[in-house]
Amino acid sequence: MIDNKIKEKYADITLQNGVNLQRNQSLFITAPIEGADFARILAKKAYELGAKNVHINWEDDELTRLKYEHAAEEVMETFPEWRVKLQESFAEEGAAFVSIHATDPDLLNGIDSTRIAKASKAAGVALKVFREYIMNDRVTWTVISIPTKAWAQKVFPEKNSEEAVASLWNEIIKTVRVDQEDPVKAWENHNDTLRKAHEKLNEKQYEKLILKAPGTHLEVGLPAGHIWQGGTAVSQKGINFNPNLPTEEVFTVPHKYKVNGKVTSTKPLNYGGTLIDEFQLTFKDGIVTDYEAKQGEEVLKHLLETDEGSSRLGEIALVPDESPISQSGLIFYNTLFDENASCHIALGKAYPTNLEGGADMDEKELDQHGVNDSMVHVDFMIGSAQMDIDGVKPDGTKEAVFRHGTWAFDLS
Ligand code: ZN
Ligand code: ZN
């Protein structure tokens, strides 16, 4: 079993590098109830760092499943006001937010996809204001994971439950650099590398990217004034933080009206407890005009039909195939890990912070600049060692950005 010292180190980097918790700041943790011991370590460490108040928002996969199986239709169509108020009130006082993602990839197997669509839509509508706090970096936030039995078993089906959990802990510890002598320092170095990559792309200001791989030929227009980010983000109060642990990506905003061609997924997508796998999307002028999936096509359909923006793109992210997560060769069935092993794009809302001045623009201005809005933001993986990417400059000249799944630039 993983020892407590390692968990404490993981808690340290979550609070210091992840949300960069300040003295007298409150902390809102969303945690699976199965990971109560780790959530409590986080809480204890947070108080030691001078946190004002720590609130844990428990999530229970089993209860969620029971609700989807038995609750009345009207329950699936509503999201409780008190839950909205709870999250908004913490955001208003400037709390930091840690979300621990560990949903069983098969949690909602066999549940009517219409019910799932209704529930996610209700949550999406209700959490609009809260979402703006996160996506505009008005607060500091980070997403991490810890193993749960069901999830670990999915990643390591040949192992027994206890071994699977131990193996998944090991993998997580490696990817978040907690196995290193000085994890905080290791994160500073890693953030530097990511900074070099996004600074290079920001200099280039490509008008569009052309992605080619088996089953993929996609042209992704980039709005004028787009900003590549990666590694450390800066909150509106000027606090540095790492929104994802692990993170290996540099990402920006695609132009919502200028995406054309076809794209094929390269890893399964765990969309809130149902898997969508081996799927293809065709885009015309930014919108999905055709799609198919070997698994989960019905769920994909509901996702695309969530609202006007859910069939347009809100993110394009580049991740070299030699990323440590990719080299592990594992499929995690958890987007936090799989997206950091692979170039990916996201359906739905874009981060306004990926556009110059975007965080201060209203919905109409963002639309005019080509920045997508939606109540969903769903990343899916399209990268592989076979992906080539070209950047097209405003004068029409092309240059290599990625070859065989990795940087064609020198980033040293
Ligand atoms: Zn991403
Ligand atoms: Zn994303």
Side-chain angles (χ1 to χ4, degrees):
M1 274 278 81
I2 196 98
D3 73 61
N4 253 14
K5 277 235 165 65
I6 294 282
K7 288 185 184 172
E8 283 180 15
K9 264 187 164 181
Y10 187 22
D12 282 337
I13 64 144
T14 301
L15 297 172
Q16 290 174 42
N17 300 70
V19 290
N20 193 357
L21 190 73
Q22 307 288 300
R23 290 198 78 79
N24 240 342
Q25 189 181 20
S26 290
L27 177 66
F28 188 97
I29 302 170
T30 300
I33 201 138
E34 208 185 307
D37 63 333
F38 180 72
R40 291 185 189 118
I41 293 173
L42 268 179
K44 181 165 172 277
K45 291 266 175 189
Y47 280 122
E48 283 168 9
L49 286 167
K52 184 168 135 197
N53 177 25
V54 179
H55 178 82
I56 304 183
N57 178 37
W58 297 110
E59 279 191 343
D60 180 357
D61 272 2
E62 279 183 45
L63 184 68
T64 304
R65 168 98 203 174
L66 284 170
K67 196 168 186 172
Y68 276 101
E69 280 175 349
H70 302 289
E73 211 61 21
E74 74 212 51
V75 175
M76 306 317 291
E77 286 163 1
T78 46
F79 190 86
E81 186 67 27
W82 65 265
R83 276 189 60 187
V84 178
K85 290 246 168 72
L86 175 70
Q87 278 173 243
E88 282 181 10
S89 70
F90 272 88
E92 270 164 37
E93 70 156 286
F97 290 81
V98 172
S99 294
I100 305 176
H101 278 205
T103 309
D104 172 4
D106 293 320
L107 179 67
L108 300 182
N109 255 359
I111 299 285
D112 175 4
S113 60
T114 326
R115 280 169 73 78
I116 300 172
K118 277 181 184 169
S120 52
K121 192 161 185 167
V125 171
L127 294 171
K128 182 174 170 37
V129 172
F130 178 70
R131 192 163 53 244
E132 304 283 330
Y133 275 101
I134 298 291
M135 294 195 71
N136 286 303
D137 295 341
R138 267 181 220 137
V139 291
T140 57
W141 55 281
T142 197
V143 182
I144 63 163
S145 287
I146 54 171
T148 55
K149 282 182 194 150
W151 173 31
Q153 201 84 73
K154 180 83 180 174
V155 183
F156 299 102
E158 74 288 355
K159 298 187 177 182
N160 73 34
S161 168
E162 210 170 296
E163 286 167 1
V165 167
S167 297
L168 190 49
W169 260 122
N170 278 334
E171 289 301 326
I172 293 175
I173 289 313
K174 264 193 269 171
T175 63
V176 294
R177 296 176 166 76
V178 170
D179 62 338
Q180 302 200 15
E181 188 58 25
D182 183 351
V184 174
K185 184 79 198 150
W187 271 98
E188 281 168 12
N189 293 340
H190 181 53
N191 281 330
D192 264 356
T193 309
L194 292 171
R195 190 172 41 77
K196 276 180 196 150
H198 68 69
E199 280 179 357
K200 185 95 174 181
L201 291 167
N202 283 333
E203 264 168 43
K204 299 280 185 188
Q205 278 298 309
Y206 292 123
E207 214 169 64
K208 75 178 161 189
L209 297 177
I210 303 171
L211 287 63
K212 284 185 202 162
T216 294
H217 188 144
L218 191 71
E219 297 202 3
V220 180
L222 302 175
H226 66 269
I227 298 171
W228 288 88
Q229 295 179 311
T232 318
V234 186
S235 77
Q236 281 190 355
K237 282 190 181 145
I239 307 288
N240 286 330
F241 69 103
N242 264 99
N244 286 183
L245 298 176
T247 186
E248 301 288 337
E249 60 170 340
V250 294
F251 63 99
T252 193
V253 51
H255 196 295
K256 68 182 276 194
Y257 298 114
K258 293 182 184 171
V259 179
N260 286 289
K262 199 172 194 176
V263 67
T264 299
S265 69
T266 51
K267 285 175 194 285
L269 164 63
N270 172 3
Y271 181 49
T274 8
L275 287 178
I276 308 174
D277 201 7
E278 294 186 53
F279 57 102
Q280 286 194 322
L281 304 174
T282 304
F283 289 85
K284 173 97 177 58
D285 298 330
I287 197 159
V288 174
T289 52
D290 198 15
Y291 61 89
E292 56 180 310
K294 275 222 174 108
Q295 187 186 343
E297 190 173 273
E298 203 49 29
V299 183
L300 176 61
K301 175 178 188 285
H302 286 301
L303 165 59
L304 291 166
E305 290 172 356
T306 308
D307 60 19
E308 226 180 296
S310 60
S311 53
R312 293 184 188 274
L313 294 186
E315 178 186 332
I316 173 157
L318 306 185
V319 181
D321 191 61
E322 71 261 21
S323 104
I325 307 174
S326 175
Q327 290 307 311
S328 76
L330 293 168
I331 293 175
F332 285 90
Y333 302 96
N334 178 325
T335 300
L336 177 62
F337 294 87
D338 292 327
E339 75 168 334
N340 281 305
S342 170
C343 288
H344 56 272
I345 49 184
L347 288 166
K349 187 169 171 64
Y351 291 95
T353 47
N354 280 132
L355 186 81
E356 252 170 67
D360 301 317
M361 290 182 188
D362 62 23
E363 279 165 35
K364 209 172 153 194
E365 283 173 287
L366 286 168
D367 175 68
Q368 283 164 352
H369 284 83
V371 179
N372 196 30
D373 190 22
S374 171
M375 54 189 145
V376 296
H377 174 97
V378 182
D379 299 275
F380 63 96
M381 287 58 76
I382 60 168
S384 66
Q386 296 167 78
M387 177 161 274
D388 287 344
I389 303 174
D390 285 337
V392 181
K393 289 186 176 167
D395 67 6
T397 52
K398 265 190 214 173
E399 53 188 34
V401 177
F402 255 52
R403 283 296 176 265
H404 309 293
T406 194
W407 293 107
F409 304 137
D410 177 22
L411 289 174
S412 56

